[in-house]
């Protein structure tokens, strides 16, 4: 008996994630009037903006370095307190998702500062010209750092 190759099936969750990421990239390319609510009250701490990026060519060292270099350039945008950027750390722990290629974290004094950063032409250009051509998808997490 001959064995026929089974077509590879993509899990429904992966397809949904890719659609959501595509919509996110489109949304980032058009500047929003206000991305996050700013009710005039400052948060109890700094805002931390985390971006995890999966490349179209996973593991490609040149593409990783291009994203890392682009991330470091974002430090010059007004309102950014600090940017940290680097490659995923491989882990054997089940609770760790190390499948992404590059991670970035940025700190802002307020949600208003983060909104200004997100709408800044230099950020929009970096997303459009440097991130979008290389990234398959990415996830963003934002939280308030409550300090100690």
């Amino acid at each position: 008996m001959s064995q026929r190759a089974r077509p590879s099936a993509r899990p429904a969750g992966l397809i949904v994630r890719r659609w959501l990421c595509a919509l996110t990239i489109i949304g980032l390319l058009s500047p929003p009037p206000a991305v996050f609510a700013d009710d005039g009250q400052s948060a109890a701490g700094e805002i931390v903006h985390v971006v995890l990026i999966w490349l179209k060519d996973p593991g490609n060292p040149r593409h990783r370095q291009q994203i890392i270099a682009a991330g470091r350039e974002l430090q010059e945008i007004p309102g950014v307190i600090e940017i940290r950027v680097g490659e995923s750390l491989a882990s054997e722990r089940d609770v760790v998702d190390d499948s992404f290629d590059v991670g970035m974290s940025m700190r802002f004094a307020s949600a208003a500062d983060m909104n200004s950063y997100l709408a800044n032409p230099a950020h929009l250009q970096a997303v459009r010209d440097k991130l979008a051509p290389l990234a398959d998808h990415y996830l963003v997490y934002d939280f308030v750092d409550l300090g100690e």
Side-chain angles (χ1 to χ4, degrees):
M1 266 187 166
S2 68
Q3 293 185 358
R4 294 190 321 174
R6 292 180 51 174
S8 68
R10 292 188 180 204
L14 179 62
I15 293 169
V16 170
R17 272 198 332 227
R18 286 192 176 177
W19 270 105
L20 289 175
C21 290
L23 292 173
T24 301
I25 290 172
I26 290 167
L28 287 173
L29 294 178
S30 29
V35 178
F36 296 94
D38 187 3
D39 59 7
Q41 299 175 356
S42 60
E46 293 177 341
I47 305 301
V48 180
H49 177 69
V50 178
V51 182
L52 304 177
I53 303 161
W54 286 260
L55 296 175
K56 290 177 183 174
D57 184 10
N60 182 312
R62 188 171 59 89
H63 292 173
R64 283 183 175 187
Q65 288 307 311
Q66 288 174 323
I67 296 287
I68 289 169
R72 289 185 176 132
E73 292 172 7
L74 298 174
Q75 177 72 50
E76 303 305 315
I77 297 176
V80 175
I81 295 171
E82 175 187 49
I83 289 185
R84 295 191 178 244
V85 58
E87 298 180 3
S88 172
L89 176 65
S91 177
E92 296 297 320
R93 297 171 40 219
D94 291 338
V95 298
V96 175
D97 179 357
D98 59 359
S99 65
F100 64 95
D101 287 281
V102 177
M104 297 183 201
S105 69
M106 294 146 228
R107 291 188 307 121
F108 301 91
S110 67
D113 284 351
M114 184 174 65
N115 287 337
S116 293
Y117 160 83
L118 293 171
N120 185 289
H123 171 260
L124 297 173
Q125 183 177 2
V127 170
R128 182 185 64 239
D129 298 343
K130 297 176 181 179
L131 176 62
L134 299 176
D136 177 63
H137 67 282
Y138 57 90
L139 291 176
V140 177
Y141 298 94
D142 297 316
F143 65 92
V144 177
D145 181 357
L146 301 176
E148 294 185 35

mmCIF file of all heavy atoms in Angstrom, residues 74-92:
data_model
loop_
_atom_site.group_PDB
_atom_site.id
_atom_site.type_symbol
_atom_site.label_atom_id
_atom_site.label_comp_id
_atom_site.label_asym_id
_atom_site.label_seq_id
_atom_site.Cartn_x
_atom_site.Cartn_y
_atom_site.Cartn_z
ATOM 1 N N LEU A 74 13.935 53.699 18.141
ATOM 2 C CA LEU A 74 12.704 54.255 18.704
ATOM 3 C C LEU A 74 12.949 54.998 20.017
ATOM 4 O O LEU A 74 12.105 55.772 20.460
ATOM 5 C CB LEU A 74 11.669 53.148 18.898
ATOM 6 C CG LEU A 74 11.212 52.444 17.620
ATOM 7 C CD1 LEU A 74 10.305 51.263 17.959
ATOM 8 C CD2 LEU A 74 10.518 53.411 16.680
ATOM 9 N N GLN A 75 14.092 54.776 20.641
ATOM 10 C CA GLN A 75 14.451 55.453 21.894
ATOM 11 C C GLN A 75 14.451 56.971 21.711
ATOM 12 O O GLN A 75 14.222 57.711 22.661
ATOM 13 C CB GLN A 75 15.834 54.990 22.365
ATOM 14 C CG GLN A 75 16.335 55.668 23.616
ATOM 15 C CD GLN A 75 15.596 55.229 24.870
ATOM 16 O OE1 GLN A 75 15.445 54.037 25.102
ATOM 17 N NE2 GLN A 75 15.148 56.179 25.668
ATOM 18 N N GLU A 76 14.663 57.452 20.501
ATOM 19 C CA GLU A 76 14.756 58.888 20.235
ATOM 20 C C GLU A 76 13.396 59.573 20.191
ATOM 21 O O GLU A 76 13.325 60.795 20.178
ATOM 22 C CB GLU A 76 15.493 59.124 18.908
ATOM 23 C CG GLU A 76 16.890 58.510 18.866
ATOM 24 C CD GLU A 76 17.770 58.969 20.025
ATOM 25 O OE1 GLU A 76 17.781 60.171 20.317
ATOM 26 O OE2 GLU A 76 18.441 58.101 20.633
ATOM 27 N N ILE A 77 12.304 58.818 20.158
ATOM 28 C CA ILE A 77 10.965 59.415 20.087
ATOM 29 C C ILE A 77 10.618 60.021 21.443
ATOM 30 O O ILE A 77 10.789 59.380 22.481
ATOM 31 C CB ILE A 77 9.916 58.359 19.664
ATOM 32 C CG1 ILE A 77 10.230 57.863 18.250
ATOM 33 C CG2 ILE A 77 8.504 58.935 19.741
ATOM 34 C CD1 ILE A 77 9.335 56.752 17.764
ATOM 35 N N PRO A 78 10.123 61.260 21.455
ATOM 36 C CA PRO A 78 9.760 61.911 22.718
ATOM 37 C C PRO A 78 8.760 61.073 23.527
ATOM 38 O O PRO A 78 7.843 60.474 22.967
ATOM 39 C CB PRO A 78 9.120 63.230 22.274
ATOM 40 C CG PRO A 78 9.713 63.498 20.924
ATOM 41 C CD PRO A 78 9.910 62.142 20.300
ATOM 42 N N GLY A 79 8.973 61.046 24.830
ATOM 43 C CA GLY A 79 8.091 60.321 25.733
ATOM 44 C C GLY A 79 8.608 58.957 26.130
ATOM 45 O O GLY A 79 8.169 58.393 27.137
ATOM 46 N N VAL A 80 9.533 58.411 25.361
ATOM 47 C CA VAL A 80 10.100 57.098 25.674
ATOM 48 C C VAL A 80 11.136 57.281 26.778
ATOM 49 O O VAL A 80 12.089 58.036 26.628
ATOM 50 C CB VAL A 80 10.762 56.451 24.441
ATOM 51 C CG1 VAL A 80 11.447 55.150 24.818
ATOM 52 C CG2 VAL A 80 9.737 56.225 23.340
ATOM 53 N N ILE A 81 10.922 56.603 27.898
ATOM 54 C CA ILE A 81 11.892 56.647 28.994
ATOM 55 C C ILE A 81 13.023 55.662 28.724
ATOM 56 O O ILE A 81 14.194 55.978 28.898
ATOM 57 C CB ILE A 81 11.213 56.321 30.343
ATOM 58 C CG1 ILE A 81 10.189 57.398 30.691
ATOM 59 C CG2 ILE A 81 12.245 56.143 31.449
ATOM 60 C CD1 ILE A 81 9.327 57.066 31.884
ATOM 61 N N GLU A 82 12.647 54.468 28.282
ATOM 62 C CA GLU A 82 13.638 53.420 28.064
ATOM 63 C C GLU A 82 13.080 52.383 27.106
ATOM 64 O O GLU A 82 11.884 52.095 27.114
ATOM 65 C CB GLU A 82 13.965 52.729 29.397
ATOM 66 C CG GLU A 82 14.898 51.555 29.276
ATOM 67 C CD GLU A 82 15.058 50.800 30.586
ATOM 68 O OE1 GLU A 82 14.045 50.462 31.232
ATOM 69 O OE2 GLU A 82 16.212 50.551 30.954
ATOM 70 N N ILE A 83 13.962 51.837 26.278
ATOM 71 C CA ILE A 83 13.613 50.700 25.415
ATOM 72 C C ILE A 83 14.642 49.604 25.667
ATOM 73 O O ILE A 83 15.842 49.864 25.743
ATOM 74 C CB ILE A 83 13.620 51.076 23.923
ATOM 75 C CG1 ILE A 83 12.444 51.983 23.603
ATOM 76 C CG2 ILE A 83 13.583 49.829 23.046
ATOM 77 C CD1 ILE A 83 12.290 52.326 22.144
ATOM 78 N N ARG A 84 14.144 48.402 25.815
ATOM 79 C CA ARG A 84 14.996 47.211 25.881
ATOM 80 C C ARG A 84 14.532 46.296 24.752
ATOM 81 O O ARG A 84 13.341 46.109 24.556
ATOM 82 C CB ARG A 84 14.874 46.518 27.222
ATOM 83 C CG ARG A 84 15.405 47.395 28.343
ATOM 84 C CD ARG A 84 15.528 46.630 29.618
ATOM 85 N NE ARG A 84 16.074 47.501 30.632
ATOM 86 C CZ ARG A 84 17.241 47.306 31.221
ATOM 87 N NH1 ARG A 84 17.974 46.274 30.902
ATOM 88 N NH2 ARG A 84 17.664 48.141 32.135
ATOM 89 N N VAL A 85 15.494 45.728 24.038
ATOM 90 C CA VAL A 85 15.159 44.892 22.891
ATOM 91 C C VAL A 85 16.173 43.768 22.778
ATOM 92 O O VAL A 85 17.357 43.953 23.054
ATOM 93 C CB VAL A 85 15.088 45.745 21.587
ATOM 94 C CG1 VAL A 85 16.388 46.448 21.323
ATOM 95 C CG2 VAL A 85 14.655 44.932 20.401
ATOM 96 N N GLY A 86 15.705 42.569 22.411
ATOM 97 C CA GLY A 86 16.608 41.435 22.265
ATOM 98 C C GLY A 86 15.902 40.214 21.702
ATOM 99 O O GLY A 86 14.718 40.254 21.382
ATOM 100 N N GLU A 87 16.662 39.133 21.618
ATOM 101 C CA GLU A 87 16.149 37.880 21.070
ATOM 102 C C GLU A 87 15.496 37.032 22.159
ATOM 103 O O GLU A 87 15.811 37.164 23.335
ATOM 104 C CB GLU A 87 17.297 37.098 20.430
ATOM 105 C CG GLU A 87 17.932 37.826 19.267
ATOM 106 C CD GLU A 87 19.072 37.055 18.634
ATOM 107 O OE1 GLU A 87 19.353 35.912 19.062
ATOM 108 O OE2 GLU A 87 19.686 37.600 17.704
ATOM 109 N N SER A 88 14.625 36.149 21.725
ATOM 110 C CA SER A 88 13.965 35.209 22.625
ATOM 111 C C SER A 88 14.995 34.321 23.318
ATOM 112 O O SER A 88 15.988 33.918 22.704
ATOM 113 C CB SER A 88 12.993 34.347 21.821
ATOM 114 O OG SER A 88 12.458 33.317 22.590
ATOM 115 N N LEU A 89 14.757 34.018 24.582
ATOM 116 C CA LEU A 89 15.613 33.109 25.343
ATOM 117 C C LEU A 89 14.986 31.716 25.301
ATOM 118 O O LEU A 89 13.847 31.530 25.738
ATOM 119 C CB LEU A 89 15.741 33.584 26.793
ATOM 120 C CG LEU A 89 16.530 32.670 27.738
ATOM 121 C CD1 LEU A 89 17.994 32.595 27.299
ATOM 122 C CD2 LEU A 89 16.413 33.191 29.164
ATOM 123 N N ALA A 90 15.701 30.760 24.748
ATOM 124 C CA ALA A 90 15.191 29.385 24.669
ATOM 125 C C ALA A 90 14.958 28.836 26.071
ATOM 126 O O ALA A 90 15.731 29.101 26.990
ATOM 127 C CB ALA A 90 16.176 28.497 23.920
ATOM 128 N N SER A 91 13.865 28.094 26.223
ATOM 129 C CA SER A 91 13.517 27.551 27.531
ATOM 130 C C SER A 91 12.887 26.173 27.382
ATOM 131 O O SER A 91 12.177 25.906 26.409
ATOM 132 C CB SER A 91 12.526 28.486 28.235
ATOM 133 O OG SER A 91 12.123 27.933 29.467
ATOM 134 N N GLU A 92 13.140 25.321 28.346
ATOM 135 C CA GLU A 92 12.526 23.995 28.388
ATOM 136 C C GLU A 92 11.268 24.000 29.256
ATOM 137 O O GLU A 92 10.574 22.987 29.342
ATOM 138 C CB GLU A 92 13.533 22.971 28.941
ATOM 139 C CG GLU A 92 14.766 22.793 28.057
ATOM 140 C CD GLU A 92 14.415 22.242 26.680
ATOM 141 O OE1 GLU A 92 13.543 21.357 26.583
ATOM 142 O OE2 GLU A 92 15.009 22.728 25.692
#
